[in-house]
Amino acid sequence: MQSSPRLLAAYRPKDKAKAEGSVYRVETRILARLRHERFFSVVEANAAIAKLTWDLNHRVTKSLGTSRQELFESIERDHLRPLPATPYEFATWKRAKVSIDYHIIVSADRHYYSVPYQLVGTQVEVRLSEKSV
């Protein structure tokens, strides 16, 4: 059985070495320097991590002759978009059949929801989230 090219691409990421290199860099430049430190609050630990992160991002690299922060400012900042006005809300989708009484059942607790009568006998897709159906 042959795999589709899309499936093969998922198992062979092109940027894996770059991502692992970044993890190694953070481990050696930030975590390793803090391994003997003792923090008494999350705020204190975050402040120490923030300082080392700033140092890492502003350090000039040998290969590029510039810092990561300068690269970000010159290449990536202009491409950023603002965050959405509403926060992401996790939702699931479920299929339900509209019964003769214009209702669908969408949960294991057998909650019934009304739908337009024109949909009797059809399959509908229902989006379920914490706040809405």
Short mmCIF file of all heavy atoms in Angstrom, two decimals, residues 92-98 103-115 124-129 132-133:
data_model
loop_
_atom_site.label_atom_id
_atom_site.label_comp_id
_atom_site.label_asym_id
_atom_site.label_seq_id
_atom_site.Cartn_x
_atom_site.Cartn_y
_atom_site.Cartn_z
N THR A 92 -16.42 21.47 19.15
CA THR A 92 -16.46 20.21 18.43
C THR A 92 -17.67 20.22 17.51
O THR A 92 -18.63 20.95 17.74
CB THR A 92 -16.53 19.00 19.38
OG1 THR A 92 -17.69 19.15 20.22
CG2 THR A 92 -15.30 18.90 20.25
N TRP A 93 -17.63 19.39 16.51
CA TRP A 93 -18.74 19.28 15.56
C TRP A 93 -19.33 17.88 15.67
O TRP A 93 -18.61 16.90 15.87
CB TRP A 93 -18.25 19.52 14.14
CG TRP A 93 -17.88 20.95 13.90
CD1 TRP A 93 -16.68 21.55 14.15
CD2 TRP A 93 -18.73 21.97 13.38
NE1 TRP A 93 -16.73 22.87 13.82
CE2 TRP A 93 -17.98 23.16 13.34
CE3 TRP A 93 -20.06 22.00 12.95
CZ2 TRP A 93 -18.52 24.36 12.87
CZ3 TRP A 93 -20.57 23.19 12.48
CH2 TRP A 93 -19.81 24.36 12.45
N LYS A 94 -20.64 17.81 15.54
CA LYS A 94 -21.34 16.54 15.63
C LYS A 94 -22.47 16.54 14.61
O LYS A 94 -23.07 17.57 14.34
CB LYS A 94 -21.92 16.37 17.04
CG LYS A 94 -22.63 15.07 17.25
CD LYS A 94 -23.15 14.95 18.66
CE LYS A 94 -23.89 13.62 18.79
NZ LYS A 94 -24.48 13.46 20.10
N ARG A 95 -22.77 15.39 14.05
CA ARG A 95 -23.91 15.25 13.14
C ARG A 95 -25.12 14.78 13.95
O ARG A 95 -24.98 13.96 14.85
CB ARG A 95 -23.62 14.25 12.04
CG ARG A 95 -22.65 14.76 11.03
CD ARG A 95 -22.49 13.72 9.91
NE ARG A 95 -21.71 14.30 8.86
CZ ARG A 95 -22.23 14.81 7.75
NH1 ARG A 95 -23.52 14.78 7.55
NH2 ARG A 95 -21.45 15.33 6.83
N ALA A 96 -26.27 15.31 13.60
CA ALA A 96 -27.50 14.90 14.27
C ALA A 96 -28.62 14.87 13.25
O ALA A 96 -28.65 15.66 12.30
CB ALA A 96 -27.84 15.86 15.39
N LYS A 97 -29.56 13.95 13.45
CA LYS A 97 -30.72 13.87 12.57
C LYS A 97 -31.88 14.61 13.22
O LYS A 97 -32.16 14.43 14.41
CB LYS A 97 -31.10 12.41 12.31
CG LYS A 97 -32.23 12.30 11.31
CD LYS A 97 -32.47 10.87 10.90
CE LYS A 97 -33.60 10.86 9.87
NZ LYS A 97 -33.85 9.56 9.35
N VAL A 98 -32.56 15.44 12.42
CA VAL A 98 -33.69 16.20 12.92
C VAL A 98 -34.90 15.28 12.96
O VAL A 98 -35.29 14.70 11.94
CB VAL A 98 -33.98 17.43 12.03
CG1 VAL A 98 -35.16 18.21 12.57
CG2 VAL A 98 -32.74 18.31 11.93
N HIS A 103 -36.60 18.55 16.71
CA HIS A 103 -35.56 18.60 17.72
C HIS A 103 -34.38 17.71 17.32
O HIS A 103 -34.55 16.73 16.59
CB HIS A 103 -36.08 18.15 19.10
CG HIS A 103 -37.00 19.14 19.72
ND1 HIS A 103 -38.35 19.17 19.45
CD2 HIS A 103 -36.77 20.15 20.60
CE1 HIS A 103 -38.91 20.13 20.14
NE2 HIS A 103 -37.97 20.75 20.84
N ILE A 104 -33.22 18.05 17.84
CA ILE A 104 -32.04 17.21 17.68
C ILE A 104 -31.48 16.94 19.07
O ILE A 104 -31.67 17.72 20.00
CB ILE A 104 -30.95 17.88 16.80
CG1 ILE A 104 -30.56 19.26 17.35
CG2 ILE A 104 -31.40 17.97 15.36
CD1 ILE A 104 -29.40 19.90 16.65
N ILE A 105 -30.80 15.81 19.20
CA ILE A 105 -30.12 15.46 20.44
C ILE A 105 -28.64 15.61 20.17
O ILE A 105 -28.11 14.99 19.25
CB ILE A 105 -30.43 14.01 20.86
CG1 ILE A 105 -31.93 13.80 21.02
CG2 ILE A 105 -29.69 13.67 22.14
CD1 ILE A 105 -32.32 12.35 21.23
N VAL A 106 -27.95 16.44 20.98
CA VAL A 106 -26.54 16.70 20.68
C VAL A 106 -25.57 16.33 21.79
O VAL A 106 -24.40 16.57 21.67
CB VAL A 106 -26.33 18.18 20.29
CG1 VAL A 106 -26.99 18.49 18.99
CG2 VAL A 106 -26.79 19.11 21.38
N SER A 107 -26.05 15.78 22.89
CA SER A 107 -25.10 15.42 23.95
C SER A 107 -25.49 14.07 24.55
O SER A 107 -26.59 13.58 24.37
CB SER A 107 -25.10 16.49 25.05
OG SER A 107 -26.33 16.49 25.72
N ALA A 108 -24.55 13.52 25.29
CA ALA A 108 -24.81 12.24 25.95
C ALA A 108 -25.87 12.38 27.02
O ALA A 108 -26.52 11.41 27.40
CB ALA A 108 -23.51 11.71 26.56
N ASP A 109 -26.06 13.60 27.52
CA ASP A 109 -27.08 13.86 28.55
C ASP A 109 -28.48 14.00 27.95
O ASP A 109 -29.42 14.34 28.66
CB ASP A 109 -26.73 15.14 29.31
CG ASP A 109 -25.40 15.05 30.00
OD1 ASP A 109 -24.94 13.92 30.27
OD2 ASP A 109 -24.80 16.10 30.27
N ARG A 110 -28.59 13.77 26.66
CA ARG A 110 -29.86 13.82 25.94
C ARG A 110 -30.53 15.20 26.04
O ARG A 110 -31.71 15.32 26.32
CB ARG A 110 -30.80 12.71 26.38
CG ARG A 110 -30.19 11.32 26.13
CD ARG A 110 -31.15 10.19 26.27
NE ARG A 110 -32.34 10.26 25.45
CZ ARG A 110 -32.44 9.89 24.17
NH1 ARG A 110 -31.38 9.43 23.55
NH2 ARG A 110 -33.58 9.96 23.54
N HIS A 111 -29.75 16.24 25.78
CA HIS A 111 -30.32 17.58 25.70
C HIS A 111 -30.91 17.76 24.31
O HIS A 111 -30.28 17.44 23.31
CB HIS A 111 -29.27 18.65 25.97
CG HIS A 111 -28.81 18.66 27.37
ND1 HIS A 111 -27.49 18.75 27.72
CD2 HIS A 111 -29.49 18.60 28.55
CE1 HIS A 111 -27.37 18.74 29.03
NE2 HIS A 111 -28.57 18.64 29.55
N TYR A 112 -32.10 18.30 24.26
CA TYR A 112 -32.80 18.51 23.00
C TYR A 112 -32.73 19.98 22.60
O TYR A 112 -32.83 20.87 23.46
CB TYR A 112 -34.28 18.11 23.14
CG TYR A 112 -34.48 16.64 23.32
CD1 TYR A 112 -34.36 16.04 24.57
CD2 TYR A 112 -34.79 15.83 22.23
CE1 TYR A 112 -34.55 14.69 24.74
CE2 TYR A 112 -34.98 14.46 22.39
CZ TYR A 112 -34.86 13.90 23.64
OH TYR A 112 -35.05 12.56 23.80
N TYR A 113 -32.56 20.22 21.31
CA TYR A 113 -32.53 21.58 20.79
C TYR A 113 -33.47 21.67 19.60
O TYR A 113 -33.51 20.78 18.75
CB TYR A 113 -31.11 21.97 20.37
CG TYR A 113 -30.19 22.08 21.55
CD1 TYR A 113 -29.46 20.97 21.99
CD2 TYR A 113 -30.05 23.27 22.24
CE1 TYR A 113 -28.64 21.07 23.10
CE2 TYR A 113 -29.23 23.37 23.35
CZ TYR A 113 -28.53 22.27 23.77
OH TYR A 113 -27.71 22.35 24.86
N SER A 114 -34.21 22.78 19.54
CA SER A 114 -35.14 23.01 18.44
C SER A 114 -34.40 23.49 17.21
O SER A 114 -33.42 24.24 17.32
CB SER A 114 -36.17 24.07 18.83
OG SER A 114 -36.90 23.65 19.95
N VAL A 115 -34.91 23.09 16.05
CA VAL A 115 -34.37 23.55 14.77
C VAL A 115 -35.55 23.93 13.87
O VAL A 115 -36.70 23.56 14.16
CB VAL A 115 -33.51 22.47 14.10
CG1 VAL A 115 -32.28 22.14 14.94
CG2 VAL A 115 -34.30 21.22 13.82
N VAL A 124 -28.00 17.31 10.15
CA VAL A 124 -27.42 18.64 10.33
C VAL A 124 -26.11 18.52 11.08
O VAL A 124 -25.88 17.55 11.80
CB VAL A 124 -28.37 19.59 11.10
CG1 VAL A 124 -29.62 19.88 10.29
CG2 VAL A 124 -28.73 19.04 12.46
N GLU A 125 -25.24 19.48 10.86
CA GLU A 125 -23.99 19.54 11.61
C GLU A 125 -24.17 20.55 12.73
O GLU A 125 -24.65 21.66 12.51
CB GLU A 125 -22.83 19.95 10.71
CG GLU A 125 -22.43 18.85 9.76
CD GLU A 125 -21.17 19.20 8.98
OE1 GLU A 125 -20.79 20.39 8.93
OE2 GLU A 125 -20.57 18.28 8.44
N VAL A 126 -23.77 20.16 13.93
CA VAL A 126 -23.96 20.98 15.11
C VAL A 126 -22.59 21.33 15.69
O VAL A 126 -21.74 20.45 15.88
CB VAL A 126 -24.79 20.25 16.18
CG1 VAL A 126 -25.06 21.14 17.37
CG2 VAL A 126 -26.07 19.72 15.58
N ARG A 127 -22.37 22.61 15.94
CA ARG A 127 -21.12 23.07 16.55
C ARG A 127 -21.37 23.23 18.05
O ARG A 127 -22.21 24.02 18.46
CB ARG A 127 -20.69 24.40 15.96
CG ARG A 127 -19.38 24.90 16.51
CD ARG A 127 -19.02 26.25 15.85
NE ARG A 127 -17.77 26.75 16.34
CZ ARG A 127 -17.65 27.57 17.39
NH1 ARG A 127 -18.73 27.97 18.05
NH2 ARG A 127 -16.48 27.99 17.80
N LEU A 128 -20.61 22.48 18.86
CA LEU A 128 -20.77 22.51 20.32
C LEU A 128 -19.55 23.18 20.94
O LEU A 128 -18.42 22.79 20.70
CB LEU A 128 -20.88 21.09 20.86
CG LEU A 128 -21.98 20.22 20.30
CD1 LEU A 128 -21.76 18.78 20.67
CD2 LEU A 128 -23.31 20.70 20.84
N SER A 129 -19.82 24.20 21.75
CA SER A 129 -18.74 24.84 22.50
C SER A 129 -19.21 25.00 23.94
O SER A 129 -20.34 24.63 24.28
CB SER A 129 -18.38 26.20 21.89
OG SER A 129 -19.39 27.14 22.15
N SER A 132 -22.05 27.84 23.59
CA SER A 132 -23.15 27.83 22.60
C SER A 132 -23.26 26.49 21.87
O SER A 132 -22.34 25.69 21.87
CB SER A 132 -22.94 28.95 21.59
OG SER A 132 -21.79 28.69 20.81
N VAL A 133 -24.44 26.31 21.26
CA VAL A 133 -24.71 25.15 20.39
C VAL A 133 -25.08 25.70 19.04
O VAL A 133 -25.86 26.63 18.91
CB VAL A 133 -25.86 24.30 20.96
CG1 VAL A 133 -26.21 23.18 19.99
CG2 VAL A 133 -25.49 23.73 22.30
#
